[in-house]
Amino acid sequence: MEDYQIRAEEMVKRLNEASDAYYNGREELMSNYEWDSLFDELVSLEAETGFILPDSPTQNTGYEENNGEKEPHEFPALSLAKTKQVAELQKWAEDRPIWLSWKLDGLTLVLTYDNGKLTKILTRGNGIIGTNITYLKNVIQGFPLNIPYKKHMVVRGEAVISYTDFELINDTIEDDEKYANPRNLASGTLSLDDPEKVKERHVYFHAFTLVYLEDEMISWGERMRFLEKEGFTVVEREAVSSETISAVIDKWTEKVETGKMDLPVDGLVICFDDTEYAASGSVTGHHAARAGYAFKWQDVSAKSRLDHIEWSCATSTISPVAVFEPVQLEGTTVSRASLCNISEMERLGIGEKCMVEVIKANKIIPKCIAVMESSGSFQIPESCPVCGAKTEVRKSPRSNTKTLHCTNPDCSAKHVKKFTRFVSKSGMDIDGLSVQTILRFMNEGFLSEFADIYHLWEHADTIRQMDGFGDKSCENLIKAIEKSRQVHPVNFIYALCIPMIGIDAGKKMIAENGFDGFMERMETGQGFEEILGIGPEKSRSAIEWYENEQNKSSLKALLKEVTIEKVVPSSKADGKCKGLTFVITGDVHHYKNRDEFKAYVEAMGGKVTGSVTGKTDYLVNNDAQSTSSKNRKAAQLGVPVITEDEFVERFG
């Protein structure tokens, strides 16, 4: 066998194995950067030698998911030709009207509608045969189950998980299987059999093309507007020409580089507005010549000398982060990059001393892709960086990936979910404490219980020097923490993370007892069983939570830091809002937010709804002269419109 044939077989095998893992939500075997480089090398080798293996990824449209019932696509979902050169796009456009949109990095789904109802959802699979996941139709967002259009229609789009949700989900995942990126998480999520679990992960569908409808509609732009009117979330797009495409690409690229994109993208797509012309092209290899063109950014890498490995504890996993001499990478200074896990460190060949090559994966996430001049071996810490307990290396039964874990079940880093709930808008409403920031502060030893948040100012000098912070962001964080010291009792109860006690249960407890009465019932063990809507199970959960000495101690420490707003129990109040229905709209200034406003009304025996009807007693709007739909509806029905100050004067 010739050398080039051996090399081709080796590349095809590696690419196919990596794609199989990528498309089926398993641990990634190589980065997009590495895959693209190897794929380009294979394309060049095949063009030079004419030797093309039947299972070469240059000849296939994709990889078939492993799980679920398989069905053929009504219309093949072919791949797009790819380029990193703007000049190729300009040549391809042929001076015709074209559109530019995001190449979202998720899982392609194909939706079929008949008689105005969603009848089928298929994954892209290999482009010819997909997996039927229609059973997930109620838990994926972004598309309607019923539409005005009553004829046969097929829509293709991308199911994605935002970076915000990815970080939250990945850092609070209960098992050992952390995901490498949002695309990997989306793929793994849509292979789950549990719809409720899928719903928790906020998968969102973005339509990127209308494949078929029975009525004539040639313009791609018109088709996208049609889908929006039918109720779909549609990919962002812009009309361009071959003359303007370069400037528009620069503008869109800047959105990614400056962190303005929360959705994962791995490039841009251009397509012809004339869909008939687009469909007239030939099919070559694994793509249709005129169906569209994918533009992928040139990956810019930088080399730097490794300073040390930082081990960051999150939930049950302790993850390695490479800290290196700062380098400029695509407009920003980078000095840290994830190494994912022990297996990835071994694959890269990380040593005690080495040079690392770093890219920004999809122009956002710093990632080590190669190691040079490696000497010595990295040390795996024997104790947890947060609590000091013993660590252990575990191997995943699914992917054989080696990860490091803290053995202490009470390690505070394992309770990051509780901290994210504590600082959430429904809780203490502390802006600036993301999951990642909370974990970093835990690893620095700043946080172990909720009350520690109110002492972060003591670490301000250190925080200012941390990556992603500075004087202004540190100042804003301290201000947000100080602002949260005064809190409505319902939000405070929610923030405590008492099992089974959410906002609704908290409202009922406070409406009946006020906060002092709530604490008295907890301390005496009287419980809340007789309160309508609470019942024995929730009452028992609250009392058992309080009987835990650690929880009780944490609560007492917290009460020294905050002031609970006074709310008069409805049983003792004169019922100022009793029997009245309010609609609250616009910004508020007397109350912290509309949720707090609503809680007050309900504590006073009133009701808050979302829309103005004949049963509404008052519309509260600080812009009483507004011509908004709610104000117009109120005028039409004769519902009084009052300002927040007027509300306080009458009902406060």
Side-chain angles (χ1 to χ4, degrees):
M1 185 180 289
E2 298 288 343
D3 289 345
Y4 69 82
Q5 293 175 322
I6 295 173
R7 177 58 179 159
E9 287 187 352
E10 176 192 339
M11 287 191 286
V12 167
K13 183 175 184 290
R14 286 188 61 201
L15 288 167
N16 285 347
E17 287 176 347
S19 291
D20 184 56
Y22 179 83
Y23 277 97
N24 288 296
R26 296 195 302 275
E27 180 74 25
E28 65 175 18
L29 300 180
M30 64 175 70
S31 67
N32 284 344
Y33 178 87
E34 294 169 290
W35 199 95
D36 287 343
S37 297
L38 197 60
F39 182 85
D40 291 343
E41 183 185 343
L42 179 61
V43 170
S44 298
L45 182 66
E46 289 176 346
E48 179 184 340
T49 64
F51 179 74
I52 303 174
L53 292 164
D55 60 343
S56 169
T58 66
Q59 304 303 301
N60 298 317
T61 59
Y63 273 78
E64 191 174 345
E65 294 82 9
N66 289 332
N67 302 320
E69 294 296 322
K70 304 297 187 289
E71 289 189 30
H73 285 292
E74 182 180 358
F75 303 94
L78 301 178
S79 300
L80 298 178
K82 299 176 179 65
T83 184
K84 296 182 179 181
Q85 306 298 326
V86 176
E88 284 192 47
L89 298 181
Q90 292 171 320
K91 180 180 178 182
W92 179 86
E94 302 175 339
D95 294 324
R96 290 176 173 270
I98 53 176
W99 288 87
L100 182 142
S101 61
W102 294 116
K103 186 176 183 293
L104 296 174
D105 193 18
L107 195 71
T108 299
L109 302 181
V110 182
L111 279 53
T112 301
Y113 289 80
D114 289 291
N115 299 316
K117 294 182 179 181
L118 176 64
T119 56
K120 186 190 300 183
I121 304 176
L122 291 183
T123 63
R124 180 175 178 272
N126 63 9
I128 306 300
I129 296 174
T131 301
N132 190 318
I133 59 167
T134 312
Y135 67 96
L136 296 176
K137 66 181 181 181
N138 293 309
V139 294
I140 302 172
Q141 303 175 67
F143 56 76
L145 299 180
N146 299 283
I147 59 175
Y149 187 73
K150 302 303 179 186
K151 301 178 184 178
H152 186 59
M153 186 174 85
V154 180
V155 181
R156 197 177 295 146
E158 200 80 355
V160 298
I161 293 176
S162 69
Y163 280 108
T164 298
D165 285 326
F166 166 71
E167 290 174 358
L168 179 62
I169 295 162
N170 212 32
D171 283 326
T172 58
I173 218 160
E174 295 296 343
D175 59 23
D176 299 340
E177 303 297 337
K178 295 175 80 67
Y179 289 87
N181 50 54
R183 195 253 171 245
N184 206 241
L185 177 60
S187 177
T189 297
L190 293 182
S191 67
L192 297 173
D193 293 327
D194 183 358
E196 285 306 309
K197 192 69 175 177
V198 175
K199 186 177 182 179
E200 290 175 4
R201 294 188 176 182
H202 301 159
V203 181
Y204 221 105
F205 177 85
H206 296 256
F208 59 68
T209 192
L210 174 51
V211 181
Y212 175 83
L213 80 167
E214 291 187 25
D215 297 309
E216 184 175 285
M217 192 180 296
I218 296 174
S219 166
W220 184 87
E222 187 180 341
R223 287 179 169 220
M224 293 298 100
R225 288 189 292 272
F226 170 77
L227 287 178
E228 284 180 321
K229 290 177 182 177
E230 293 290 304
F232 291 85
T233 297
V234 177
V235 69
E236 185 182 355
R237 59 206 182 275
E238 183 172 346
V240 294
S241 66
S242 55
E243 289 78 20
T244 63
I245 191 170
S246 180
V248 175
I249 285 176
D250 289 343
K251 181 180 71 174
W252 281 50
T253 301
E254 186 183 7
K255 290 183 185 180
V256 179
E257 291 178 335
T258 54
K260 295 176 182 176
M261 277 295 293
D262 194 34
L263 296 178
V265 297
D266 63 350
L268 303 167
V269 172
I270 64 165
C271 64
F272 291 112
D273 186 62
D274 186 338
T275 57
E276 284 191 350
Y277 178 76
S280 66
S282 60
V283 176
T284 305
H286 63 304
H287 64 266
R290 291 176 181 163
Y293 223 123
F295 174 80
K296 301 197 76 173
W297 293 291
Q298 293 275 6
D299 287 302
V300 178
S301 67
K303 296 182 177 66
S304 180
R305 186 157 297 281
L306 180 71
D307 184 78
H308 66 280
I309 302 297
E310 180 180 290
W311 295 84
S312 175
C313 190
T315 60
S316 63
T317 309
I318 304 174
S319 303
V321 177
V323 182
F324 42 83
E325 295 171 3
V327 291
Q328 285 294 311
L329 196 58
E330 305 203 42
T332 61
T333 302
V334 177
S335 60
R336 299 161 56 87
S338 171
L339 290 167
C340 298
N341 49 54
I342 295 172
S343 293
E344 178 68 359
M345 294 177 73
E346 292 174 343
R347 186 183 76 82
L348 289 169
I350 291 283
E352 183 181 8
K353 296 180 180 179
C354 60
M355 291 287 289
V356 293
E357 185 176 7
V358 184
I359 64 167
K360 273 191 178 180
N362 293 344
K363 293 195 169 288
I364 295 178
I365 302 173
K367 180 178 177 61
C368 288
I369 59 165
V371 167
M372 295 78 67
E373 303 174 18
S374 181
S375 63
S377 58
F378 62 85
Q379 299 298 310
I380 299 174
E382 296 180 355
S383 59
C384 171
V386 173
C387 70
K390 186 179 179 181
T391 62
E392 66 178 13
V393 177
R394 299 177 191 165
K395 183 177 286 190
S396 164
R398 187 182 78 176
S399 60
N400 288 324
T401 300
K402 288 189 282 188
T403 51
L404 186 65
H405 297 261
C406 172
T407 58
N408 176 15
D410 295 319
C411 178
S412 59
K414 294 184 179 182
H415 304 297
V416 68
K417 273 185 178 179
K418 294 180 180 179
F419 277 85
T420 58
R421 174 165 163 170
F422 182 85
V423 304
S424 69
K425 203 164 190 65
S426 296
M428 302 301 287
D429 193 16
I430 304 175
D431 191 29
L433 276 177
S434 66
V435 174
Q436 293 294 335
T437 301
I438 290 170
L439 286 169
R440 287 173 67 185
F441 288 172
M442 283 180 171
N443 281 280
E444 290 288 338
F446 300 164
L447 298 178
S448 60
E449 63 176 353
F450 294 149
D452 294 336
I453 290 174
Y454 294 94
H455 291 270
L456 283 174
W457 60 270
E458 298 172 7
H459 307 285
D461 289 342
T462 303
I463 292 171
R464 288 189 186 98
Q465 305 303 316
M466 295 172 72
D467 285 348
F469 279 92
D471 291 340
K472 189 65 178 177
S473 56
C474 180
E475 180 185 339
N476 289 340
L477 175 59
I478 300 302
K479 282 182 179 178
I481 292 171
E482 290 304 307
K483 183 181 177 183
S484 76
R485 284 185 185 271
Q486 183 166 328
V487 60
H488 191 280
V490 172
N491 300 98
F492 183 75
I493 290 172
Y494 177 83
L496 293 176
C497 304
I498 302 171
M500 300 181 70
I501 306 301
I503 288 290
D504 288 339
K507 286 176 182 176
K508 292 179 174 69
M509 290 171 166
I510 294 302
E512 183 73 20
N513 305 278
F515 187 72
D516 290 341
F518 166 82
M519 286 300 299
E520 184 179 341
R521 283 173 177 255
M522 294 284 266
E523 288 167 359
T524 61
Q526 177 184 351
F528 310 87
E529 186 171 336
E530 83 284 1
I531 298 176
L532 185 65
I534 299 297
E537 195 174 3
K538 289 181 180 179
S539 175
R540 185 166 56 252
S541 177
I543 297 303
E544 287 177 354
W545 178 89
Y546 189 76
E547 288 174 347
N548 178 291
E549 287 302 321
Q550 188 173 342
N551 292 334
K552 191 182 294 186
S553 173
S554 176
L555 174 57
K556 288 181 177 179
L558 191 55
L559 287 172
K560 292 178 182 178
E561 305 293 340
V562 302
T563 301
I564 311 296
E565 295 172 6
K566 293 294 182 184
V567 173
V568 181
S570 57
S571 58
K572 299 177 183 178
D574 58 6
K576 291 181 179 179
C577 299
K578 191 172 183 180
L580 298 176
T581 299
F582 296 82
V583 172
I584 303 168
T585 188
D587 295 329
V588 296
H589 58 263
H590 181 83
Y591 297 92
K592 185 189 295 185
N593 51 47
R594 283 189 290 190
D595 285 338
E596 183 179 286
F597 196 162
K598 180 181 178 183
Y600 173 81
V601 173
E602 291 174 340
M604 291 296 104
K607 182 179 179 182
V608 177
T609 61
S611 57
V612 178
T613 69
K615 295 181 180 180
T616 305
D617 292 293
Y618 292 95
L619 169 63
V620 184
N621 188 346
N622 283 323
D623 184 3
Q625 305 305 314
S626 168
T627 58
S628 68
S629 59
K630 284 188 173 69
N631 276 39
R632 292 199 305 271
K633 189 70 172 177
Q636 179 186 337
L637 297 173
V639 174
V641 181
I642 61 174
T643 64
E644 186 181 2
D645 291 336
E646 289 173 318
F647 172 88
V648 172
E649 187 177 334
R650 296 188 196 185
F651 306 103

